[in-house]
Amino acid sequence: MSKSLFLRIVHRLSTEVAYFAPTQDAVGRSSLSPLQKCTAAIRQLAYGGGADTVDEYWKNCPTAWKGMYSRGTDKPTIVLEAVASYDLWIWHAFFGAPGTMNDLNILDRSPVFDDIIKGIAPQVNFNVNGREYDFAYYLTDGICPEWATFIQSIQLPQGPKHSLFAKTQESVRKDVERAFGVMQARFAVIKNPSNLWDKSKITNIMRACIILHNMIVEDERRTQTQDETFQDEDIYFCVKMPFSIHLIVGQKFGVDQSIDN
């Protein structure tokens, strides 16, 4: 992240979180500065909290739990479901489902559409072939249900038109995979096996990494306008970026099962 973003984080934490505020001990000696504490915390996320093996972690957990979080191998995982757009911004994240669950099971448990049902979503408007659309759509793979809001690929395209659609849809869907890859490259703590056995703590770490990731993405595009516009001969698309990370909507839907416990 940029220096200006890091210093902004340091300032907010030092003024709003008691742990990061400067303090003194009984003899008047100053504690670690907010800068030192923030540096140490972010380094933990970026480089991980030390090496550990999955077997060493799971030997202290009930056998039934290990089986619930393992699928295909003895390697237990926790699923991160995410919706990401072309610029890697994560619009929605649902974390904590066992690795034995597939995309459909996770979708049934996910709150991805809760805010949309309540009418809470960024304004999305686009025009295709002269028709106006006011709701976002999600690019998915073939396992997802055939809902109107899901745009699936064509598994066996016949003819140049279907082939072009399938090629374009599948190439754009890689944006969510890129978002997963960038997050894992930035934060080794979510790429490597976890040293924690408390699921709530693992969830907090994942939430912190997603928030930091979005802050970095937002900082990198700070010179751009709030409105992103794409124009072609017969396609017009406009999205007004929300000001709150909690708004749940996006263009791509994906599931990553590489979060090791």
Side-chain angles (χ1 to χ4, degrees), residues 106-122:
I106 295 168
L107 182 60
D108 288 339
R109 297 177 55 175
S110 170
V112 62
F113 294 121
D114 288 1
D115 279 2
I116 299 177
I117 293 174
K118 298 175 183 177
I120 305 173

Side-chain angles (χ1 to χ4, degrees), residues 144-161:
C144 292
E146 296 183 358
W147 295 350
T149 190
F150 287 162
I151 305 298
Q152 300 176 343
S153 180
I154 301 175
Q155 294 184 356
L156 298 173
Q158 302 292 325
K161 183 177 181 180

